Amino acid sequence: MSFLLFAARKMQLKREINANSYEQIKIQDQLKAAQKRVSNFQEQMTQMKNMTSIFARSLQAQATVQGYQDAGIDYNNTQSLQDNSAKVSTIQQGATALASTFQNVTDSIFTAVNNVQLEALKAESDRLDNKLTSLKTEGQLLSTEYQEYDQAISSAVKEAAPKFGLA
């Protein structure tokens, strides 16, 4: 009679093992998607930083040209640039400072966004990774118990079998 109880528990364990395996597959898929979101976000941040760097250089060039025009310097004429070298130096320093300020501001914005968003994405990835580890551990425990019930059924069947003997 006890072998029937063992068999029922064994069937229940098999269902739990299957459910655990299915859950592991779901979590693995979610984890892969979360890791891809982290990777994509990092790539987008790099691309945006590159774009702002290009924009900063363009801003510097525009500020330099505008400074030359405001000072009445012909930036296509080498003699004019040499004659006004002090003004040229001041204009270039101002344009460099403007571009540097722009770059620093955008870098700090990107860093702040990166810290907040990337940490949230990494936290999700870590949560899923921990859940997957927990499911794997649970699956191993269920498998071990399943094997123990397999052996228990064999023992219970042997004990329940009638014993006929000549002695």
Side-chain angles (χ1 to χ4, degrees), residues 69-134:
Q69 289 174 349
D70 291 347
I73 301 170
D74 183 6
Y75 55 89
N76 292 320
N77 183 334
T78 307
Q79 187 60 43
S80 177
L81 291 172
Q82 289 173 350
D83 292 345
N84 296 298
S85 65
K87 287 182 182 178
V88 168
S89 179
T90 303
I91 291 168
Q92 288 176 346
Q93 287 175 354
T96 301
L98 176 65
S100 178
T101 300
F102 173 79
Q103 190 70 42
N104 289 340
V105 168
T106 56
D107 281 351
S108 67
I109 290 169
F110 287 140
T111 299
V113 168
N114 191 35
N115 287 343
V116 171
Q117 188 65 30
L118 190 58
E119 289 305 314
L121 290 171
K122 283 184 177 180
E124 176 68 8
S125 178
D126 290 345
R127 182 189 68 77
L128 290 169
D129 191 40
N130 289 339
K131 187 170 184 177
L132 182 60
T133 302
S134 173

Short mmCIF file of all heavy atoms in Angstrom, two decimals, residues 69-134:
data_model
loop_
_atom_site.label_atom_id
_atom_site.label_comp_id
_atom_site.label_asym_id
_atom_site.label_seq_id
_atom_site.Cartn_x
_atom_site.Cartn_y
_atom_site.Cartn_z
N GLN A 69 34.84 86.86 -37.82
CA GLN A 69 34.00 87.82 -38.54
C GLN A 69 33.70 89.04 -37.67
O GLN A 69 33.74 90.17 -38.16
CB GLN A 69 32.70 87.15 -39.00
CG GLN A 69 32.89 86.16 -40.12
CD GLN A 69 31.62 85.39 -40.46
OE1 GLN A 69 30.63 85.45 -39.74
NE2 GLN A 69 31.67 84.66 -41.57
N ASP A 70 33.39 88.81 -36.40
CA ASP A 70 33.09 89.92 -35.49
C ASP A 70 34.31 90.83 -35.30
O ASP A 70 34.17 92.04 -35.12
CB ASP A 70 32.62 89.39 -34.12
CG ASP A 70 31.25 88.74 -34.20
OD1 ASP A 70 30.55 88.91 -35.23
OD2 ASP A 70 30.88 88.04 -33.23
N ALA A 71 35.51 90.24 -35.34
CA ALA A 71 36.74 91.02 -35.15
C ALA A 71 37.25 91.59 -36.47
O ALA A 71 38.24 92.32 -36.49
CB ALA A 71 37.82 90.14 -34.52
N GLY A 72 36.60 91.26 -37.57
CA GLY A 72 37.02 91.77 -38.87
C GLY A 72 38.27 91.10 -39.40
O GLY A 72 39.02 91.70 -40.16
N ILE A 73 38.50 89.87 -39.03
CA ILE A 73 39.68 89.13 -39.47
C ILE A 73 39.27 88.20 -40.60
O ILE A 73 38.30 87.45 -40.49
CB ILE A 73 40.29 88.31 -38.30
CG1 ILE A 73 40.68 89.22 -37.14
CG2 ILE A 73 41.46 87.48 -38.78
CD1 ILE A 73 41.06 88.47 -35.88
N ASP A 74 40.05 88.24 -41.69
CA ASP A 74 39.80 87.34 -42.81
C ASP A 74 40.51 86.03 -42.52
O ASP A 74 41.73 85.93 -42.62
CB ASP A 74 40.31 87.96 -44.12
CG ASP A 74 40.03 87.09 -45.33
OD1 ASP A 74 39.33 86.05 -45.18
OD2 ASP A 74 40.51 87.44 -46.42
N TYR A 75 39.74 84.99 -42.13
CA TYR A 75 40.35 83.71 -41.73
C TYR A 75 40.90 82.93 -42.91
O TYR A 75 41.59 81.95 -42.73
CB TYR A 75 39.39 82.85 -40.90
CG TYR A 75 38.06 82.56 -41.56
CD1 TYR A 75 37.91 81.46 -42.38
CD2 TYR A 75 36.97 83.39 -41.36
CE1 TYR A 75 36.70 81.19 -42.98
CE2 TYR A 75 35.75 83.13 -41.96
CZ TYR A 75 35.62 82.04 -42.77
OH TYR A 75 34.43 81.77 -43.37
N ASN A 76 40.64 83.38 -44.14
CA ASN A 76 41.22 82.76 -45.33
C ASN A 76 42.54 83.40 -45.73
O ASN A 76 43.22 82.91 -46.61
CB ASN A 76 40.24 82.83 -46.51
CG ASN A 76 39.02 81.95 -46.29
OD1 ASN A 76 39.14 80.85 -45.77
ND2 ASN A 76 37.86 82.45 -46.65
N ASN A 77 42.89 84.51 -45.06
CA ASN A 77 44.10 85.28 -45.40
C ASN A 77 45.14 85.06 -44.30
O ASN A 77 44.95 85.50 -43.17
CB ASN A 77 43.74 86.75 -45.54
CG ASN A 77 44.90 87.61 -45.95
OD1 ASN A 77 46.06 87.27 -45.70
ND2 ASN A 77 44.60 88.72 -46.58
N THR A 78 46.24 84.40 -44.65
CA THR A 78 47.29 84.09 -43.68
C THR A 78 47.87 85.37 -43.08
O THR A 78 48.13 85.43 -41.88
CB THR A 78 48.41 83.26 -44.33
OG1 THR A 78 47.83 82.13 -44.96
CG2 THR A 78 49.42 82.79 -43.32
N GLN A 79 48.05 86.39 -43.88
CA GLN A 79 48.62 87.66 -43.40
C GLN A 79 47.69 88.30 -42.38
O GLN A 79 48.14 88.81 -41.35
CB GLN A 79 48.87 88.62 -44.57
CG GLN A 79 49.62 89.89 -44.19
CD GLN A 79 51.00 89.59 -43.60
OE1 GLN A 79 51.73 88.74 -44.11
NE2 GLN A 79 51.35 90.27 -42.53
N SER A 80 46.41 88.26 -42.64
CA SER A 80 45.44 88.84 -41.71
C SER A 80 45.46 88.09 -40.37
O SER A 80 45.37 88.69 -39.30
CB SER A 80 44.04 88.78 -42.31
OG SER A 80 43.07 89.27 -41.42
N LEU A 81 45.60 86.76 -40.44
CA LEU A 81 45.67 85.96 -39.21
C LEU A 81 46.94 86.27 -38.42
O LEU A 81 46.91 86.35 -37.19
CB LEU A 81 45.60 84.47 -39.54
CG LEU A 81 44.27 83.94 -40.09
CD1 LEU A 81 44.40 82.50 -40.55
CD2 LEU A 81 43.18 84.06 -39.04
N GLN A 82 48.06 86.45 -39.14
CA GLN A 82 49.33 86.75 -38.47
C GLN A 82 49.30 88.16 -37.86
O GLN A 82 49.81 88.37 -36.76
CB GLN A 82 50.50 86.63 -39.44
CG GLN A 82 50.79 85.20 -39.82
CD GLN A 82 51.86 85.09 -40.90
OE1 GLN A 82 52.26 86.09 -41.50
NE2 GLN A 82 52.31 83.87 -41.16
N ASP A 83 48.71 89.11 -38.57
CA ASP A 83 48.65 90.49 -38.07
C ASP A 83 47.78 90.59 -36.81
O ASP A 83 48.01 91.46 -35.97
CB ASP A 83 48.10 91.43 -39.15
CG ASP A 83 49.04 91.60 -40.32
OD1 ASP A 83 50.23 91.24 -40.17
OD2 ASP A 83 48.59 92.07 -41.38
N ASN A 84 46.82 89.74 -36.70
CA ASN A 84 45.89 89.78 -35.56
C ASN A 84 46.05 88.55 -34.66
O ASN A 84 45.09 88.04 -34.12
CB ASN A 84 44.45 89.85 -36.08
CG ASN A 84 44.17 91.11 -36.84
OD1 ASN A 84 44.24 92.20 -36.28
ND2 ASN A 84 43.88 90.97 -38.14
N SER A 85 47.29 88.11 -34.47
CA SER A 85 47.54 86.87 -33.75
C SER A 85 47.00 86.90 -32.32
O SER A 85 46.52 85.89 -31.81
CB SER A 85 49.03 86.53 -33.76
OG SER A 85 49.77 87.50 -33.06
N ALA A 86 47.04 88.02 -31.65
CA ALA A 86 46.52 88.11 -30.28
C ALA A 86 45.01 87.91 -30.28
O ALA A 86 44.46 87.18 -29.44
CB ALA A 86 46.88 89.45 -29.66
N LYS A 87 44.31 88.56 -31.24
CA LYS A 87 42.86 88.40 -31.34
C LYS A 87 42.51 86.96 -31.73
O LYS A 87 41.57 86.38 -31.20
CB LYS A 87 42.29 89.37 -32.38
CG LYS A 87 42.27 90.81 -31.95
CD LYS A 87 41.64 91.65 -33.05
CE LYS A 87 41.64 93.12 -32.67
NZ LYS A 87 41.09 93.95 -33.75
N VAL A 88 43.30 86.42 -32.67
CA VAL A 88 43.07 85.05 -33.12
C VAL A 88 43.19 84.09 -31.95
O VAL A 88 42.35 83.19 -31.76
CB VAL A 88 44.05 84.67 -34.26
CG1 VAL A 88 44.03 83.18 -34.53
CG2 VAL A 88 43.72 85.45 -35.52
N SER A 89 44.22 84.26 -31.14
CA SER A 89 44.42 83.40 -29.98
C SER A 89 43.26 83.50 -29.00
O SER A 89 42.77 82.49 -28.49
CB SER A 89 45.74 83.78 -29.29
OG SER A 89 45.94 82.98 -28.16
N THR A 90 42.81 84.73 -28.75
CA THR A 90 41.68 84.94 -27.83
C THR A 90 40.41 84.31 -28.38
O THR A 90 39.65 83.66 -27.64
CB THR A 90 41.46 86.45 -27.59
OG1 THR A 90 42.66 87.02 -27.08
CG2 THR A 90 40.32 86.71 -26.64
N ILE A 91 40.18 84.47 -29.68
CA ILE A 91 38.99 83.89 -30.31
C ILE A 91 39.03 82.37 -30.23
O ILE A 91 38.04 81.72 -29.89
CB ILE A 91 38.87 84.37 -31.78
CG1 ILE A 91 38.53 85.87 -31.81
CG2 ILE A 91 37.84 83.55 -32.54
CD1 ILE A 91 38.68 86.50 -33.19
N GLN A 92 40.18 81.78 -30.52
CA GLN A 92 40.31 80.33 -30.47
C GLN A 92 40.14 79.80 -29.05
O GLN A 92 39.53 78.75 -28.84
CB GLN A 92 41.65 79.90 -31.07
CG GLN A 92 41.70 80.07 -32.57
CD GLN A 92 43.06 79.73 -33.17
OE1 GLN A 92 44.05 79.61 -32.45
NE2 GLN A 92 43.11 79.59 -34.49
N GLN A 93 40.68 80.53 -28.08
CA GLN A 93 40.51 80.11 -26.68
C GLN A 93 39.05 80.16 -26.28
O GLN A 93 38.54 79.26 -25.59
CB GLN A 93 41.35 80.99 -25.75
CG GLN A 93 42.83 80.71 -25.82
CD GLN A 93 43.63 81.70 -24.98
OE1 GLN A 93 43.09 82.65 -24.43
NE2 GLN A 93 44.93 81.45 -24.89
N GLY A 94 38.36 81.21 -26.71
CA GLY A 94 36.93 81.33 -26.40
C GLY A 94 36.12 80.23 -27.04
O GLY A 94 35.22 79.64 -26.41
N ALA A 95 36.43 79.92 -28.30
CA ALA A 95 35.70 78.86 -29.00
C ALA A 95 35.98 77.50 -28.36
O ALA A 95 35.08 76.68 -28.19
CB ALA A 95 36.11 78.84 -30.48
N THR A 96 37.23 77.28 -27.96
CA THR A 96 37.59 76.03 -27.28
C THR A 96 36.87 75.92 -25.94
O THR A 96 36.37 74.85 -25.57
CB THR A 96 39.11 75.95 -27.08
OG1 THR A 96 39.74 76.01 -28.36
CG2 THR A 96 39.51 74.66 -26.38
N ALA A 97 36.80 77.02 -25.22
CA ALA A 97 36.12 77.03 -23.92
C ALA A 97 34.63 76.74 -24.10
O ALA A 97 34.03 75.99 -23.31
CB ALA A 97 36.32 78.36 -23.22
N LEU A 98 34.02 77.33 -25.13
CA LEU A 98 32.61 77.09 -25.41
C LEU A 98 32.36 75.61 -25.71
O LEU A 98 31.45 74.99 -25.15
CB LEU A 98 32.15 77.96 -26.58
CG LEU A 98 30.71 77.76 -27.05
CD1 LEU A 98 29.74 78.19 -25.95
CD2 LEU A 98 30.46 78.54 -28.32
N ALA A 99 33.19 75.05 -26.58
CA ALA A 99 33.03 73.64 -26.94
C ALA A 99 33.28 72.74 -25.74
O ALA A 99 32.57 71.75 -25.52
CB ALA A 99 33.98 73.27 -28.07
N SER A 100 34.28 73.10 -24.93
CA SER A 100 34.60 72.30 -23.74
C SER A 100 33.45 72.34 -22.74
O SER A 100 33.09 71.31 -22.14
CB SER A 100 35.88 72.83 -23.11
OG SER A 100 36.18 72.11 -21.95
N THR A 101 32.87 73.51 -22.56
CA THR A 101 31.73 73.64 -21.63
C THR A 101 30.56 72.79 -22.12
O THR A 101 29.92 72.09 -21.32
CB THR A 101 31.31 75.12 -21.51
OG1 THR A 101 32.42 75.87 -21.02
CG2 THR A 101 30.13 75.28 -20.59
N PHE A 102 30.27 72.89 -23.41
CA PHE A 102 29.19 72.08 -23.98
C PHE A 102 29.46 70.60 -23.75
O PHE A 102 28.57 69.85 -23.34
CB PHE A 102 29.04 72.37 -25.48
CG PHE A 102 28.08 71.46 -26.17
CD1 PHE A 102 26.72 71.66 -26.06
CD2 PHE A 102 28.54 70.37 -26.92
CE1 PHE A 102 25.83 70.79 -26.69
CE2 PHE A 102 27.66 69.51 -27.54
CZ PHE A 102 26.30 69.72 -27.43
N GLN A 103 30.68 70.17 -24.03
CA GLN A 103 31.05 68.76 -23.87
C GLN A 103 30.92 68.33 -22.41
O GLN A 103 30.40 67.23 -22.13
CB GLN A 103 32.48 68.53 -24.37
CG GLN A 103 32.87 67.07 -24.47
CD GLN A 103 32.16 66.34 -25.59
OE1 GLN A 103 31.99 66.86 -26.69
NE2 GLN A 103 31.72 65.13 -25.32
N ASN A 104 31.36 69.16 -21.48
CA ASN A 104 31.27 68.82 -20.05
C ASN A 104 29.82 68.71 -19.60
O ASN A 104 29.47 67.79 -18.83
CB ASN A 104 32.00 69.86 -19.21
CG ASN A 104 33.50 69.78 -19.36
OD1 ASN A 104 34.03 68.76 -19.78
ND2 ASN A 104 34.19 70.86 -19.04
N VAL A 105 28.97 69.62 -20.06
CA VAL A 105 27.56 69.57 -19.67
C VAL A 105 26.90 68.32 -20.22
O VAL A 105 26.20 67.60 -19.49
CB VAL A 105 26.82 70.86 -20.14
CG1 VAL A 105 25.32 70.70 -20.02
CG2 VAL A 105 27.30 72.06 -19.36
N THR A 106 27.12 68.04 -21.50
CA THR A 106 26.49 66.84 -22.08
C THR A 106 27.06 65.57 -21.46
O THR A 106 26.31 64.62 -21.23
CB THR A 106 26.64 66.81 -23.62
OG1 THR A 106 28.02 66.89 -23.96
CG2 THR A 106 25.86 67.92 -24.27
N ASP A 107 28.34 65.55 -21.17
CA ASP A 107 28.92 64.37 -20.51
C ASP A 107 28.29 64.13 -19.14
O ASP A 107 28.02 63.00 -18.77
CB ASP A 107 30.44 64.50 -20.37
CG ASP A 107 31.18 64.20 -21.67
OD1 ASP A 107 30.54 63.71 -22.62
OD2 ASP A 107 32.40 64.47 -21.73
N SER A 108 28.08 65.21 -18.39
CA SER A 108 27.47 65.04 -17.06
C SER A 108 26.03 64.57 -17.18
O SER A 108 25.57 63.76 -16.37
CB SER A 108 27.57 66.32 -16.24
OG SER A 108 26.78 67.34 -16.80
N ILE A 109 25.33 65.05 -18.20
CA ILE A 109 23.95 64.58 -18.42
C ILE A 109 23.96 63.10 -18.78
O ILE A 109 23.19 62.30 -18.23
CB ILE A 109 23.26 65.42 -19.52
CG1 ILE A 109 22.99 66.84 -19.02
CG2 ILE A 109 21.95 64.76 -19.96
CD1 ILE A 109 22.56 67.80 -20.10
N PHE A 110 24.84 62.72 -19.71
CA PHE A 110 24.92 61.31 -20.10
C PHE A 110 25.32 60.43 -18.93
O PHE A 110 24.80 59.32 -18.78
CB PHE A 110 25.90 61.12 -21.26
CG PHE A 110 25.39 61.61 -22.57
CD1 PHE A 110 26.24 62.27 -23.45
CD2 PHE A 110 24.08 61.41 -22.96
CE1 PHE A 110 25.78 62.71 -24.67
CE2 PHE A 110 23.61 61.87 -24.18
CZ PHE A 110 24.46 62.52 -25.04
N THR A 111 26.23 60.91 -18.11
CA THR A 111 26.66 60.13 -16.95
C THR A 111 25.49 59.92 -15.98
O THR A 111 25.28 58.82 -15.48
CB THR A 111 27.83 60.83 -16.24
OG1 THR A 111 28.92 60.92 -17.16
CG2 THR A 111 28.27 60.06 -15.01
N ALA A 112 24.71 60.99 -15.75
CA ALA A 112 23.57 60.88 -14.84
C ALA A 112 22.53 59.90 -15.40
O ALA A 112 22.04 59.03 -14.68
CB ALA A 112 22.94 62.25 -14.62
N VAL A 113 22.22 60.04 -16.68
CA VAL A 113 21.25 59.14 -17.31
C VAL A 113 21.79 57.71 -17.28
O VAL A 113 21.06 56.77 -16.98
CB VAL A 113 20.95 59.58 -18.76
CG1 VAL A 113 20.18 58.52 -19.52
CG2 VAL A 113 20.17 60.89 -18.76
N ASN A 114 23.05 57.58 -17.60
CA ASN A 114 23.70 56.26 -17.61
C ASN A 114 23.62 55.61 -16.24
O ASN A 114 23.27 54.43 -16.12
CB ASN A 114 25.15 56.40 -18.07
CG ASN A 114 25.79 55.07 -18.37
OD1 ASN A 114 25.16 54.16 -18.86
ND2 ASN A 114 27.07 54.97 -18.09
N ASN A 115 23.93 56.37 -15.20
CA ASN A 115 23.91 55.81 -13.84
C ASN A 115 22.52 55.33 -13.47
O ASN A 115 22.36 54.24 -12.92
CB ASN A 115 24.40 56.85 -12.83
CG ASN A 115 25.89 57.07 -12.91
OD1 ASN A 115 26.62 56.28 -13.49
ND2 ASN A 115 26.35 58.16 -12.35
N VAL A 116 21.51 56.13 -13.75
CA VAL A 116 20.15 55.77 -13.36
C VAL A 116 19.62 54.61 -14.21
O VAL A 116 19.19 53.58 -13.68
CB VAL A 116 19.21 56.99 -13.48
CG1 VAL A 116 17.77 56.60 -13.29
CG2 VAL A 116 19.61 58.05 -12.47
N GLN A 117 19.65 54.79 -15.52
CA GLN A 117 19.05 53.80 -16.42
C GLN A 117 19.84 52.50 -16.44
O GLN A 117 19.25 51.42 -16.38
CB GLN A 117 18.96 54.38 -17.83
CG GLN A 117 18.18 53.52 -18.79
CD GLN A 117 16.72 53.38 -18.43
OE1 GLN A 117 16.13 54.28 -17.85
NE2 GLN A 117 16.13 52.25 -18.74
N LEU A 118 21.14 52.60 -16.51
CA LEU A 118 21.96 51.38 -16.58
C LEU A 118 21.85 50.59 -15.28
O LEU A 118 21.77 49.36 -15.31
CB LEU A 118 23.41 51.73 -16.88
CG LEU A 118 24.33 50.56 -17.21
CD1 LEU A 118 23.81 49.78 -18.41
CD2 LEU A 118 25.74 51.05 -17.48
N GLU A 119 21.81 51.27 -14.17
CA GLU A 119 21.67 50.56 -12.89
C GLU A 119 20.33 49.84 -12.81
O GLU A 119 20.26 48.72 -12.31
CB GLU A 119 21.85 51.52 -11.71
CG GLU A 119 23.26 52.00 -11.53
CD GLU A 119 24.27 50.87 -11.40
OE1 GLU A 119 24.02 49.90 -10.63
OE2 GLU A 119 25.32 50.94 -12.06
N ALA A 120 19.28 50.47 -13.33
CA ALA A 120 17.97 49.81 -13.33
C ALA A 120 17.99 48.57 -14.22
O ALA A 120 17.46 47.52 -13.85
CB ALA A 120 16.90 50.79 -13.79
N LEU A 121 18.62 48.70 -15.38
CA LEU A 121 18.70 47.55 -16.29
C LEU A 121 19.55 46.44 -15.70
O LEU A 121 19.19 45.26 -15.80
CB LEU A 121 19.28 47.99 -17.64
CG LEU A 121 18.39 48.88 -18.50
CD1 LEU A 121 19.17 49.42 -19.70
CD2 LEU A 121 17.16 48.13 -18.97
N LYS A 122 20.66 46.79 -15.07
CA LYS A 122 21.51 45.79 -14.45
C LYS A 122 20.82 45.12 -13.26
O LYS A 122 20.98 43.93 -13.03
CB LYS A 122 22.84 46.40 -14.02
CG LYS A 122 23.79 46.64 -15.17
CD LYS A 122 25.12 47.16 -14.70
CE LYS A 122 26.09 47.34 -15.85
NZ LYS A 122 27.39 47.85 -15.41
N ALA A 123 20.05 45.91 -12.51
CA ALA A 123 19.33 45.34 -11.37
C ALA A 123 18.31 44.31 -11.85
O ALA A 123 18.16 43.25 -11.23
CB ALA A 123 18.63 46.46 -10.58
N GLU A 124 17.63 44.60 -12.95
CA GLU A 124 16.68 43.64 -13.52
C GLU A 124 17.40 42.37 -13.96
O GLU A 124 16.95 41.26 -13.70
CB GLU A 124 15.94 44.28 -14.70
CG GLU A 124 15.00 43.34 -15.42
CD GLU A 124 13.78 42.92 -14.62
OE1 GLU A 124 13.56 43.47 -13.52
OE2 GLU A 124 13.06 42.02 -15.07
N SER A 125 18.53 42.55 -14.61
CA SER A 125 19.33 41.40 -15.05
C SER A 125 19.80 40.57 -13.86
O SER A 125 19.71 39.34 -13.87
CB SER A 125 20.53 41.90 -15.86
OG SER A 125 21.33 40.83 -16.27
N ASP A 126 20.26 41.22 -12.81
CA ASP A 126 20.71 40.52 -11.60
C ASP A 126 19.56 39.78 -10.93
O ASP A 126 19.72 38.65 -10.46
CB ASP A 126 21.35 41.50 -10.62
CG ASP A 126 22.69 42.02 -11.09
OD1 ASP A 126 23.26 41.42 -12.04
OD2 ASP A 126 23.16 43.02 -10.52
N ARG A 127 18.38 40.41 -10.89
CA ARG A 127 17.21 39.79 -10.27
C ARG A 127 16.85 38.51 -11.02
O ARG A 127 16.60 37.46 -10.41
CB ARG A 127 16.02 40.76 -10.29
CG ARG A 127 14.77 40.21 -9.61
CD ARG A 127 13.56 41.10 -9.82
NE ARG A 127 13.11 41.12 -11.19
CZ ARG A 127 12.40 40.15 -11.79
NH1 ARG A 127 12.09 39.07 -11.11
NH2 ARG A 127 12.02 40.26 -13.03
N LEU A 128 16.86 38.59 -12.34
CA LEU A 128 16.54 37.41 -13.14
C LEU A 128 17.60 36.32 -12.99
O LEU A 128 17.28 35.13 -12.92
CB LEU A 128 16.38 37.80 -14.61
CG LEU A 128 15.14 38.62 -14.94
CD1 LEU A 128 15.22 39.18 -16.35
CD2 LEU A 128 13.87 37.81 -14.74
N ASP A 129 18.85 36.73 -12.90
CA ASP A 129 19.93 35.77 -12.72
C ASP A 129 19.79 35.05 -11.38
O ASP A 129 19.95 33.83 -11.31
CB ASP A 129 21.29 36.49 -12.81
CG ASP A 129 22.44 35.52 -12.91
OD1 ASP A 129 22.33 34.50 -13.61
OD2 ASP A 129 23.48 35.79 -12.26
N ASN A 130 19.46 35.80 -10.34
CA ASN A 130 19.25 35.18 -9.02
C ASN A 130 18.05 34.23 -9.03
O ASN A 130 18.10 33.15 -8.43
CB ASN A 130 19.05 36.26 -7.96
CG ASN A 130 20.31 37.02 -7.65
OD1 ASN A 130 21.42 36.55 -7.91
ND2 ASN A 130 20.18 38.22 -7.13
N LYS A 131 16.99 34.64 -9.72
CA LYS A 131 15.81 33.77 -9.80
C LYS A 131 16.13 32.48 -10.54
O LYS A 131 15.70 31.40 -10.15
CB LYS A 131 14.66 34.52 -10.48
CG LYS A 131 13.36 33.77 -10.46
CD LYS A 131 12.21 34.63 -10.92
CE LYS A 131 10.90 33.86 -10.78
NZ LYS A 131 9.75 34.68 -11.16
N LEU A 132 16.92 32.60 -11.61
CA LEU A 132 17.31 31.42 -12.38
C LEU A 132 18.15 30.48 -11.53
O LEU A 132 17.94 29.26 -11.53
CB LEU A 132 18.07 31.83 -13.64
CG LEU A 132 18.51 30.70 -14.56
CD1 LEU A 132 17.30 29.92 -15.06
CD2 LEU A 132 19.31 31.25 -15.72
N THR A 133 19.08 31.02 -10.77
CA THR A 133 19.91 30.21 -9.88
C THR A 133 19.04 29.48 -8.85
O THR A 133 19.23 28.30 -8.58
CB THR A 133 20.96 31.08 -9.17
OG1 THR A 133 21.76 31.72 -10.17
CG2 THR A 133 21.84 30.28 -8.25
N SER A 134 18.07 30.21 -8.30
CA SER A 134 17.16 29.61 -7.33
C SER A 134 16.34 28.48 -7.95
O SER A 134 16.17 27.41 -7.35
CB SER A 134 16.22 30.70 -6.78
OG SER A 134 15.24 30.14 -5.96
#
